[in-house]
Amino acid sequence: MSNNSVTRQQIEQIYRAQSRRVLATLIRLLNDFSLAEECLQEAFIAALDQWPRSGLPDHPAAWLISTGHRRGIDHIRRQQTARRHAPWLTSEEALAFDPDDAAIEDDLLRLLFTCCHPALATQTRVALTLREMCGLSTEQIARALLQQPATLAQRLVRAKRKIRDANIPYRVPDSDELPQRLPDVLRVIYLVFNEGYSRSEGEQVQDVSLAGEAIRLADSLAALLPQGEVFGLLALMLLQHSRRDARQDATGELLTLEQQDRRLWHRDEIDQGMAWLTRALPLTPVGPYTLQASIAAEHATAPSASQTNWKRIVALYDALYRQQPSAVIALNRAVAIAMRDSPAAGLQELDRLNVRAVINFHLYHAARADLLRRTGDIDGARQAYQRALSLATQEPERRFLARQLEHLEAPDDRSSE
């Protein structure tokens, strides 16, 4: 141990940096999510008591894991049903722990794949990932996902019970399973990110801290599992996140990509995103996240909205739609065609969409309204904006659509939004 005195602030910094790794290993060693969480807290309480007197351990994470592990064994032994809960337990095995850095990193991957297991519902995967991998409190997650804390707490309890009762394996999938399981993990990370930028309802459309958690999670995954689509997802999120300060004006009103002040974009994050994209592109086959990152890169590197390479963006959307033929991608592709060719061409593409898939999607009607406005069909644009407004739930989006309607009534004030 180091003889230098340790401050509470230093221990809190170690908690922020190491707690998820410590927890992941404790879950493996104790085979119990809730017990591991309790022992994690007990280990850091012990550190707050001992480290200021004895100094910082040479390997703080190993010290915390060993301490938490011993506390967990004590808890189990105090239970009359210890053998039922942990039939593998013997006195010698209980205290054996090898502080191997590679094993601890593997435990992070095990935890991530367990939180994102397909046996759990999608929203449960998101909540469990935020709780266990990002370390957010139940109250923080409930606020981010717009749920009641008590309801969310019960969901997390049920998820952990299901993991235990269904004997969901705490491991990284074998190489032959990984291609099927990895997309689920990436999807959950991207859902976390999108929750930060597309809140489902309410006054605020952005929760930048939540998006930041997703980026940190993807960054850890990229270090632990260097796969092309992991790099692609990280590139995509960094490129999108770089525009956060330009998405709304000083009063909180939404701004379109054309309206954004590109001087507010974070160039360091654009550079990071481009670097990850450069690593992703040679790793074939190129997947949907890498394609979306390539689209985001075209926007991020264009000197201005008018100089955007829409021809390349349409080609990328063509490739993306072949992989994921969804209504949302088709909608974005139609808008890109409108920007490449003409508003009328974009409207033709929108008219080809499956109406059933987009009829209740407010962004479809908003896009259609904008293209109708650009063609001069003010009455048609008005009806489409009114339909979009009736479907939108986010208050900033509703205000944006209402402003567009007002601009239709005052042609002199209109901008090419």
Side-chain angles (χ1 to χ4, degrees), residues 30-50:
L30 299 173
N31 201 32
D32 187 312
F33 272 78
S34 297
L35 179 58
E37 290 173 353
E38 183 178 349
C39 293
L40 169 70
Q41 299 304 320
E42 291 186 10
F44 271 98
I45 290 171
L48 285 168
D49 177 59
Q50 295 181 37

PDB file of all heavy atoms in Angstrom, residues 30-50:
ATOM      1  N   LEU A  30     -20.285 -13.951  -6.741  1.00  0.00           N
ATOM      2  CA  LEU A  30     -21.362 -14.188  -5.763  1.00  0.00           C
ATOM      3  C   LEU A  30     -22.626 -14.742  -6.408  1.00  0.00           C
ATOM      4  O   LEU A  30     -23.530 -15.196  -5.712  1.00  0.00           O
ATOM      5  CB  LEU A  30     -21.681 -12.888  -5.021  1.00  0.00           C
ATOM      6  CG  LEU A  30     -20.511 -12.296  -4.221  1.00  0.00           C
ATOM      7  CD1 LEU A  30     -20.881 -10.924  -3.674  1.00  0.00           C
ATOM      8  CD2 LEU A  30     -20.102 -13.238  -3.093  1.00  0.00           C
ATOM      9  N   ASN A  31     -22.703 -14.645  -7.743  1.00  0.00           N
ATOM     10  CA  ASN A  31     -23.844 -15.218  -8.462  1.00  0.00           C
ATOM     11  C   ASN A  31     -25.168 -14.592  -8.030  1.00  0.00           C
ATOM     12  O   ASN A  31     -26.196 -15.255  -8.011  1.00  0.00           O
ATOM     13  CB  ASN A  31     -23.893 -16.745  -8.260  1.00  0.00           C
ATOM     14  CG  ASN A  31     -24.705 -17.435  -9.340  1.00  0.00           C
ATOM     15  OD1 ASN A  31     -24.729 -16.980 -10.483  1.00  0.00           O
ATOM     16  ND2 ASN A  31     -25.384 -18.522  -8.977  1.00  0.00           N
ATOM     17  N   ASP A  32     -25.134 -13.303  -7.714  1.00  0.00           N
ATOM     18  CA  ASP A  32     -26.348 -12.645  -7.219  1.00  0.00           C
ATOM     19  C   ASP A  32     -26.203 -11.134  -7.437  1.00  0.00           C
ATOM     20  O   ASP A  32     -25.325 -10.497  -6.834  1.00  0.00           O
ATOM     21  CB  ASP A  32     -26.539 -12.953  -5.729  1.00  0.00           C
ATOM     22  CG  ASP A  32     -27.876 -12.442  -5.189  1.00  0.00           C
ATOM     23  OD1 ASP A  32     -28.214 -11.276  -5.444  1.00  0.00           O
ATOM     24  OD2 ASP A  32     -28.558 -13.218  -4.493  1.00  0.00           O
ATOM     25  N   PHE A  33     -27.054 -10.559  -8.296  1.00  0.00           N
ATOM     26  CA  PHE A  33     -26.973  -9.137  -8.606  1.00  0.00           C
ATOM     27  C   PHE A  33     -27.138  -8.276  -7.352  1.00  0.00           C
ATOM     28  O   PHE A  33     -26.333  -7.377  -7.077  1.00  0.00           O
ATOM     29  CB  PHE A  33     -28.052  -8.750  -9.627  1.00  0.00           C
ATOM     30  CG  PHE A  33     -27.639  -8.901 -11.058  1.00  0.00           C
ATOM     31  CD1 PHE A  33     -27.610 -10.152 -11.660  1.00  0.00           C
ATOM     32  CD2 PHE A  33     -27.287  -7.798 -11.815  1.00  0.00           C
ATOM     33  CE1 PHE A  33     -27.237 -10.297 -12.983  1.00  0.00           C
ATOM     34  CE2 PHE A  33     -26.910  -7.924 -13.133  1.00  0.00           C
ATOM     35  CZ  PHE A  33     -26.883  -9.181 -13.729  1.00  0.00           C
ATOM     36  N   SER A  34     -28.207  -8.516  -6.611  1.00  0.00           N
ATOM     37  CA  SER A  34     -28.522  -7.660  -5.470  1.00  0.00           C
ATOM     38  C   SER A  34     -27.457  -7.751  -4.384  1.00  0.00           C
ATOM     39  O   SER A  34     -27.054  -6.731  -3.803  1.00  0.00           O
ATOM     40  CB  SER A  34     -29.899  -8.026  -4.907  1.00  0.00           C
ATOM     41  OG  SER A  34     -30.910  -7.800  -5.876  1.00  0.00           O
ATOM     42  N   LEU A  35     -27.000  -8.970  -4.110  1.00  0.00           N
ATOM     43  CA  LEU A  35     -25.954  -9.139  -3.104  1.00  0.00           C
ATOM     44  C   LEU A  35     -24.668  -8.455  -3.550  1.00  0.00           C
ATOM     45  O   LEU A  35     -23.982  -7.813  -2.746  1.00  0.00           O
ATOM     46  CB  LEU A  35     -25.713 -10.633  -2.848  1.00  0.00           C
ATOM     47  CG  LEU A  35     -24.619 -10.972  -1.821  1.00  0.00           C
ATOM     48  CD1 LEU A  35     -24.933 -10.343  -0.466  1.00  0.00           C
ATOM     49  CD2 LEU A  35     -24.467 -12.502  -1.703  1.00  0.00           C
ATOM     50  N   ALA A  36     -24.354  -8.566  -4.833  1.00  0.00           N
ATOM     51  CA  ALA A  36     -23.147  -7.926  -5.346  1.00  0.00           C
ATOM     52  C   ALA A  36     -23.222  -6.408  -5.202  1.00  0.00           C
ATOM     53  O   ALA A  36     -22.230  -5.755  -4.830  1.00  0.00           O
ATOM     54  CB  ALA A  36     -22.925  -8.309  -6.805  1.00  0.00           C
ATOM     55  N   GLU A  37     -24.387  -5.834  -5.489  1.00  0.00           N
ATOM     56  CA  GLU A  37     -24.556  -4.389  -5.335  1.00  0.00           C
ATOM     57  C   GLU A  37     -24.370  -3.969  -3.877  1.00  0.00           C
ATOM     58  O   GLU A  37     -23.719  -2.956  -3.580  1.00  0.00           O
ATOM     59  CB  GLU A  37     -25.933  -3.970  -5.841  1.00  0.00           C
ATOM     60  CG  GLU A  37     -26.086  -4.063  -7.354  1.00  0.00           C
ATOM     61  CD  GLU A  37     -27.507  -3.798  -7.812  1.00  0.00           C
ATOM     62  OE1 GLU A  37     -28.396  -3.681  -6.943  1.00  0.00           O
ATOM     63  OE2 GLU A  37     -27.728  -3.699  -9.021  1.00  0.00           O
ATOM     64  N   GLU A  38     -24.934  -4.751  -2.959  1.00  0.00           N
ATOM     65  CA  GLU A  38     -24.803  -4.449  -1.533  1.00  0.00           C
ATOM     66  C   GLU A  38     -23.341  -4.537  -1.096  1.00  0.00           C
ATOM     67  O   GLU A  38     -22.839  -3.663  -0.355  1.00  0.00           O
ATOM     68  CB  GLU A  38     -25.663  -5.421  -0.727  1.00  0.00           C
ATOM     69  CG  GLU A  38     -25.661  -5.167   0.771  1.00  0.00           C
ATOM     70  CD  GLU A  38     -26.568  -6.120   1.520  1.00  0.00           C
ATOM     71  OE1 GLU A  38     -27.368  -6.842   0.863  1.00  0.00           O
ATOM     72  OE2 GLU A  38     -26.483  -6.161   2.763  1.00  0.00           O
ATOM     73  N   CYS A  39     -22.651  -5.566  -1.562  1.00  0.00           N
ATOM     74  CA  CYS A  39     -21.257  -5.752  -1.166  1.00  0.00           C
ATOM     75  C   CYS A  39     -20.338  -4.715  -1.815  1.00  0.00           C
ATOM     76  O   CYS A  39     -19.294  -4.359  -1.248  1.00  0.00           O
ATOM     77  CB  CYS A  39     -20.804  -7.169  -1.511  1.00  0.00           C
ATOM     78  SG  CYS A  39     -21.658  -8.425  -0.520  1.00  0.00           S
ATOM     79  N   LEU A  40     -20.684  -4.249  -3.004  1.00  0.00           N
ATOM     80  CA  LEU A  40     -19.940  -3.152  -3.628  1.00  0.00           C
ATOM     81  C   LEU A  40     -19.969  -1.926  -2.719  1.00  0.00           C
ATOM     82  O   LEU A  40     -18.926  -1.306  -2.456  1.00  0.00           O
ATOM     83  CB  LEU A  40     -20.546  -2.816  -4.991  1.00  0.00           C
ATOM     84  CG  LEU A  40     -20.042  -1.529  -5.654  1.00  0.00           C
ATOM     85  CD1 LEU A  40     -18.597  -1.686  -6.099  1.00  0.00           C
ATOM     86  CD2 LEU A  40     -20.934  -1.145  -6.838  1.00  0.00           C
ATOM     87  N   GLN A  41     -21.152  -1.589  -2.224  1.00  0.00           N
ATOM     88  CA  GLN A  41     -21.262  -0.430  -1.340  1.00  0.00           C
ATOM     89  C   GLN A  41     -20.489  -0.662  -0.039  1.00  0.00           C
ATOM     90  O   GLN A  41     -19.811   0.251   0.460  1.00  0.00           O
ATOM     91  CB  GLN A  41     -22.738  -0.147  -1.043  1.00  0.00           C
ATOM     92  CG  GLN A  41     -23.579   0.185  -2.275  1.00  0.00           C
ATOM     93  CD  GLN A  41     -23.034   1.356  -3.062  1.00  0.00           C
ATOM     94  OE1 GLN A  41     -22.579   2.347  -2.487  1.00  0.00           O
ATOM     95  NE2 GLN A  41     -23.065   1.246  -4.385  1.00  0.00           N
ATOM     96  N   GLU A  42     -20.565  -1.867   0.497  1.00  0.00           N
ATOM     97  CA  GLU A  42     -19.844  -2.160   1.743  1.00  0.00           C
ATOM     98  C   GLU A  42     -18.329  -2.064   1.530  1.00  0.00           C
ATOM     99  O   GLU A  42     -17.597  -1.611   2.420  1.00  0.00           O
ATOM    100  CB  GLU A  42     -20.226  -3.550   2.258  1.00  0.00           C
ATOM    101  CG  GLU A  42     -21.658  -3.635   2.768  1.00  0.00           C
ATOM    102  CD  GLU A  42     -21.958  -4.984   3.413  1.00  0.00           C
ATOM    103  OE1 GLU A  42     -21.011  -5.763   3.621  1.00  0.00           O
ATOM    104  OE2 GLU A  42     -23.144  -5.243   3.698  1.00  0.00           O
ATOM    105  N   ALA A  43     -17.856  -2.493   0.356  1.00  0.00           N
ATOM    106  CA  ALA A  43     -16.421  -2.422   0.074  1.00  0.00           C
ATOM    107  C   ALA A  43     -15.947  -0.978   0.020  1.00  0.00           C
ATOM    108  O   ALA A  43     -14.867  -0.646   0.544  1.00  0.00           O
ATOM    109  CB  ALA A  43     -16.113  -3.144  -1.239  1.00  0.00           C
ATOM    110  N   PHE A  44     -16.738  -0.099  -0.593  1.00  0.00           N
ATOM    111  CA  PHE A  44     -16.326   1.305  -0.666  1.00  0.00           C
ATOM    112  C   PHE A  44     -16.456   1.997   0.694  1.00  0.00           C
ATOM    113  O   PHE A  44     -15.657   2.891   1.016  1.00  0.00           O
ATOM    114  CB  PHE A  44     -17.125   2.034  -1.744  1.00  0.00           C
ATOM    115  CG  PHE A  44     -16.491   1.959  -3.105  1.00  0.00           C
ATOM    116  CD1 PHE A  44     -16.917   1.025  -4.035  1.00  0.00           C
ATOM    117  CD2 PHE A  44     -15.435   2.798  -3.429  1.00  0.00           C
ATOM    118  CE1 PHE A  44     -16.318   0.938  -5.279  1.00  0.00           C
ATOM    119  CE2 PHE A  44     -14.822   2.719  -4.672  1.00  0.00           C
ATOM    120  CZ  PHE A  44     -15.260   1.792  -5.606  1.00  0.00           C
ATOM    121  N   ILE A  45     -17.419   1.589   1.500  1.00  0.00           N
ATOM    122  CA  ILE A  45     -17.499   2.118   2.863  1.00  0.00           C
ATOM    123  C   ILE A  45     -16.249   1.722   3.651  1.00  0.00           C
ATOM    124  O   ILE A  45     -15.666   2.530   4.392  1.00  0.00           O
ATOM    125  CB  ILE A  45     -18.774   1.606   3.560  1.00  0.00           C
ATOM    126  CG1 ILE A  45     -20.013   2.263   2.928  1.00  0.00           C
ATOM    127  CG2 ILE A  45     -18.732   1.900   5.057  1.00  0.00           C
ATOM    128  CD1 ILE A  45     -21.334   1.676   3.391  1.00  0.00           C
ATOM    129  N   ALA A  46     -15.812   0.459   3.456  1.00  0.00           N
ATOM    130  CA  ALA A  46     -14.582   0.001   4.120  1.00  0.00           C
ATOM    131  C   ALA A  46     -13.372   0.792   3.624  1.00  0.00           C
ATOM    132  O   ALA A  46     -12.470   1.132   4.400  1.00  0.00           O
ATOM    133  CB  ALA A  46     -14.382  -1.493   3.861  1.00  0.00           C
ATOM    134  N   ALA A  47     -13.365   1.099   2.324  1.00  0.00           N
ATOM    135  CA  ALA A  47     -12.256   1.887   1.770  1.00  0.00           C
ATOM    136  C   ALA A  47     -12.226   3.288   2.369  1.00  0.00           C
ATOM    137  O   ALA A  47     -11.150   3.818   2.696  1.00  0.00           O
ATOM    138  CB  ALA A  47     -12.388   1.965   0.247  1.00  0.00           C
ATOM    139  N   LEU A  48     -13.400   3.888   2.522  1.00  0.00           N
ATOM    140  CA  LEU A  48     -13.466   5.224   3.133  1.00  0.00           C
ATOM    141  C   LEU A  48     -12.930   5.210   4.557  1.00  0.00           C
ATOM    142  O   LEU A  48     -12.342   6.190   5.032  1.00  0.00           O
ATOM    143  CB  LEU A  48     -14.917   5.730   3.120  1.00  0.00           C
ATOM    144  CG  LEU A  48     -15.467   6.214   1.776  1.00  0.00           C
ATOM    145  CD1 LEU A  48     -16.976   6.402   1.853  1.00  0.00           C
ATOM    146  CD2 LEU A  48     -14.787   7.525   1.369  1.00  0.00           C
ATOM    147  N   ASP A  49     -13.107   4.081   5.240  1.00  0.00           N
ATOM    148  CA  ASP A  49     -12.633   3.959   6.621  1.00  0.00           C
ATOM    149  C   ASP A  49     -11.136   3.657   6.688  1.00  0.00           C
ATOM    150  O   ASP A  49     -10.409   4.235   7.507  1.00  0.00           O
ATOM    151  CB  ASP A  49     -13.424   2.866   7.330  1.00  0.00           C
ATOM    152  CG  ASP A  49     -12.921   2.633   8.754  1.00  0.00           C
ATOM    153  OD1 ASP A  49     -12.948   3.597   9.542  1.00  0.00           O
ATOM    154  OD2 ASP A  49     -12.502   1.504   9.053  1.00  0.00           O
ATOM    155  N   GLN A  50     -10.660   2.751   5.806  1.00  0.00           N
ATOM    156  CA  GLN A  50      -9.295   2.238   5.947  1.00  0.00           C
ATOM    157  C   GLN A  50      -8.249   2.991   5.133  1.00  0.00           C
ATOM    158  O   GLN A  50      -7.131   3.221   5.601  1.00  0.00           O
ATOM    159  CB  GLN A  50      -9.268   0.759   5.560  1.00  0.00           C
ATOM    160  CG  GLN A  50     -10.084  -0.133   6.491  1.00  0.00           C
ATOM    161  CD  GLN A  50     -10.001  -1.600   6.082  1.00  0.00           C
ATOM    162  OE1 GLN A  50      -8.950  -2.072   5.643  1.00  0.00           O
ATOM    163  NE2 GLN A  50     -11.104  -2.320   6.232  1.00  0.00           N
TER     164      GLN A  50
END
